[in-house]
Amino acid sequence: MTTRPPFTPQFDFHLSRPGALIAALPAVLGFVPHNSLVLVTLDRGELGCVLRADLDDEMTDRVERLAELAAMAGADAVIAVIVDEASTGCRACDDRYGELASILELALSADGVELYAAHVVDQVALGGHWHCADGCGAEGQVEDPAASPLAAAAVLDGRRLYASREELLQVIEPDPVAGGSMARELATVAGRSAAVERSDVDVRRDVEAAITAALRLADGAVPDSAELVRLGDSLTDPRIRDTLYALAIGGCAEPAECLWGLLARNLPDPWRVEALVLLAFSAYARGDGPLAGVSLDAALRAVPTHRMAGMLDTALQSGMHPERIRELAVTGYRLATQLGVQLPPRRLWGRRAG
């Protein structure tokens, strides 16, 4: 329901310019919002985290949850943006928007947060038309999202901007054919693994195999189904999985993240969950809250009690900075040292790395 990046760089643009603020939403969310209620939180006048929910006929529960999250993030004020293609020239819609803004204002005030402004926009694109939700008469056009300072920062940080949330979800969309064909083989392999505990030599071999697979994938060599099965089975061992979290802050972070995405799309549940959490950790560590969020949502739907997924989701919802998440990956380097595994050297993160 909600997408929120853990950290947003600060830029000198005016929050009082709705056209500029709306244009910045795709860069912050990671995708262009459609049919959405978006809350931009403010902390002492500066841009904070951004929350999003699908528009629906019954919004009360969603509004209350968004208000709760805004308060948890330490917001003192919120700007609401209602994205609805049907908004232009729709008088009945204006009444609905005004009612939604009133419900939101009431929910926010219960948590001590002010609704600073509420805008309605037909599309988050150059030339899109916005107007205020309370009938104040203010209106204007959306500036170019591609020219937003936040969009420039996202490109410099290597973050991909998606045309829609649906396109973002395709990164982790499971392949039922591939998953189905591997399910029986994985169950057999997992049964053998459970019967014989992995030795340190086996763990070291499997960690090195995952690193090799990631580097080969970066060179265009896609693992076959047998290799995917071996990788998927190895991720169920906590020592292997906890060591591999370190790759998120190392020299092969990008290839490793591509491998976790490939595994998340091809493995069946429950093996897929470990790949999703590794993907979420990697995305969160580099500041890609949207990808981390959808990955964690999928993981927790499959295994609601997954400890790491729950911890990361709590951190993401509370707005914890990626730098704090990167600190967790250091444990993986300590485990690697104990196992005798040589991991890629740690990266030096610049000011925009998260």
Side-chain angles (χ1 to χ4, degrees), residues 174-176 178-184 186 263-273:
D175 183 338
S181 66
M182 282 188 277
R184 181 175 299 179
L186 269 165
L263 289 169
R265 291 189 297 273
N266 284 273
L267 293 176
D269 287 332
W271 296 274
R272 174 176 184 256
V273 171

Side-chain angles (χ1 to χ4, degrees), residues 82-114:
I82 301 168
V83 186
D84 186 355
E85 293 179 357
S87 63
T88 303
C90 176
R91 290 185 177 273
C93 295
D94 286 341
D95 293 337
R96 189 165 69 248
Y97 303 141
E99 182 181 355
L100 179 56
S102 296
I103 294 172
L104 176 61
E105 184 173 25
L106 184 62
L108 288 168
S109 64
D111 290 313
V113 181
E114 176 192 1

Side-chain angles (χ1 to χ4, degrees), residues 113 127 130 148 158-159 166 206 209-210 229 248 271 276 279 319 338 346:
V113 181
W130 68 266
S148 166
R159 289 193 288 121
E166 289 67 31
D206 288 340
V229 165
W271 296 274
L276 283 167
L279 176 61
Q338 294 171 10
R346 292 177 59 181

Side-chain angles (χ1 to χ4, degrees), residues 224-241:
D224 59 23
S225 60
E227 188 174 1
L228 291 176
V229 165
R230 290 193 297 272
L231 289 167
D233 176 63
S234 71
L235 295 184
T236 61
D237 188 309
R239 293 173 297 170
I240 296 171
R241 186 174 64 242

Side-chain angles (χ1 to χ4, degrees), residues 131-211:
H131 65 277
C132 62
D134 61 3
C136 70
E139 61 180 332
Q141 290 191 327
V142 178
E143 297 181 16
D144 186 0
S148 166
L150 292 179
V155 171
L156 288 174
D157 286 342
R159 289 193 288 121
R160 177 180 174 184
L161 301 183
Y162 298 87
S164 66
R165 189 169 187 270
E166 289 67 31
E167 184 178 337
L168 170 62
L169 289 170
Q170 289 176 7
V171 176
I172 60 166
E173 185 69 25
D175 183 338
V177 175
S181 66
M182 282 188 277
R184 181 175 299 179
E185 189 174 353
L186 269 165
T188 301
V189 172
R192 292 197 299 265
S193 298
V196 180
E197 184 178 354
R198 282 182 172 88
S199 66
D200 287 352
V201 173
D202 293 331
V203 171
R204 181 166 60 249
R205 180 202 63 207
D206 288 340
V207 170
E208 291 172 344
I211 297 172

